[in-house]
Amino acid sequence: MRAKDAGNRIPAVEKTVRILHYLAKEGRGTPTKAIAAEVEVSASTCYRILKTLEVAGWIAQDEWGGFHIGKGLLPVVEPLADLREVIRRSRPVLEAGARRWGVTVKLCFRQGSEQITVAVGTPSNPVGILAPEGVPYPVVEAASGAALLAGLTESELEDLIHRTPEEHWRRHRPEELRDRVDQCQKRGWCENIGKHPQGIDAIACPVRIGDHRLALCMIGLRGDFREEVLSDLREGLLEMARELEE
């Protein structure tokens, strides 16, 4: 969450979200004291939140007093069940692509003004780019963001640019985003090469799997995207996209 939104957030809800994230990650019954310490809330506040969630059925308590995610959450996450299946089926394709091409391969989806990596294939070489899953960042950034925005009309894209916080454009230029989106719309892929201050390059393309519009992206260091291999990487990217869409 961005700092500029702080005045619009409810601390108790933020604590509840942190607790749910922690319990989902743990995957087993965890006592109140351990949960409170991990999410940095008082034991009394943590207990009240846990009991509220238990009444809703979102969490449950085991016979030893530990709390875990409950079946009452199933109706809430049901709309995402097909996306989870897409992610499961995509992983072998991403992993095979990463091994073949020696770069990180990731799949992202758009959620409002953010993009989130949902699956990653990591190359076997010791030096590579990490792309953590589940971490949101602005959809107006990077080649993957442009691939996610390739389905927008010109007016929709301009509206998104206008709504993006001004401080973002101090580090990035709207023209670069427009150029990358235009590349995706005309060529089917886009690239962000030679521009990242830390020497990270990427190419990406839109991919549609069922009802989901996602972005498939290759990420590596500057030497990974040399001119003599770039065309092969592009074809490899599009080949993976076709396999995912089958």
Side-chain angles (χ1 to χ4, degrees), residues 5-24:
D5 297 323
N8 297 320
R9 303 202 304 255
I10 301 173
V13 175
E14 290 186 309
K15 294 170 185 175
T16 302
V17 170
R18 294 206 303 269
I19 287 172
L20 286 170
H21 274 287
Y22 176 65
L23 291 178

Side-chain angles (χ1 to χ4, degrees), residues 142-144 146-152 157 175-193 195 202-206 230 234 237-238:
S144 54
L148 288 169
L149 300 175
L152 297 185
L157 179 60
E175 294 78 13
E176 293 176 347
L177 173 64
R178 293 187 186 100
D179 287 346
R180 288 195 293 267
V181 170
D182 186 62
Q183 283 182 16
C184 278
Q185 291 173 339
K186 292 180 177 177
R187 306 177 188 175
W189 53 266
C190 66
E191 61 185 37
N192 188 23
I193 295 177
K195 298 176 181 178
I203 57 176
C205 69
L230 190 53
R234 290 173 187 146
L237 178 77
L238 297 175

Side-chain angles (χ1 to χ4, degrees), residues 90-208:
S90 298
R91 289 192 189 280
V93 177
L94 305 186
E95 290 165 359
R99 289 193 301 269
R100 177 182 177 185
W101 300 106
V103 294
T104 298
V105 183
K106 68 175 185 176
L107 194 66
C108 308
F109 80 100
R110 179 187 176 190
Q111 184 168 276
S113 62
E114 295 177 323
Q115 57 178 306
I116 301 174
T117 298
V118 293
V120 178
T122 305
S124 55
N125 54 296
V127 180
I129 301 299
L130 296 177
E133 296 179 11
V135 178
Y137 63 100
V139 74
V140 292
E141 288 186 10
S144 54
L148 288 169
L149 300 175
L152 297 185
T153 65
E154 184 177 352
S155 62
E156 289 171 334
L157 179 60
E158 291 305 314
D159 180 62
L160 178 62
I161 290 172
H162 178 73
R163 288 187 285 107
T164 299
E166 185 177 337
E167 59 264 25
H168 175 84
W169 300 122
R170 294 177 188 151
R171 296 178 291 111
H172 306 271
R173 295 191 303 143
E175 294 78 13
E176 293 176 347
L177 173 64
R178 293 187 186 100
D179 287 346
R180 288 195 293 267
V181 170
D182 186 62
Q183 283 182 16
C184 278
Q185 291 173 339
K186 292 180 177 177
R187 306 177 188 175
W189 53 266
C190 66
E191 61 185 37
N192 188 23
I193 295 177
K195 298 176 181 178
H196 196 284
Q198 296 177 341
I200 299 172
D201 289 340
I203 57 176
C205 69
V207 57
R208 182 158 187 168

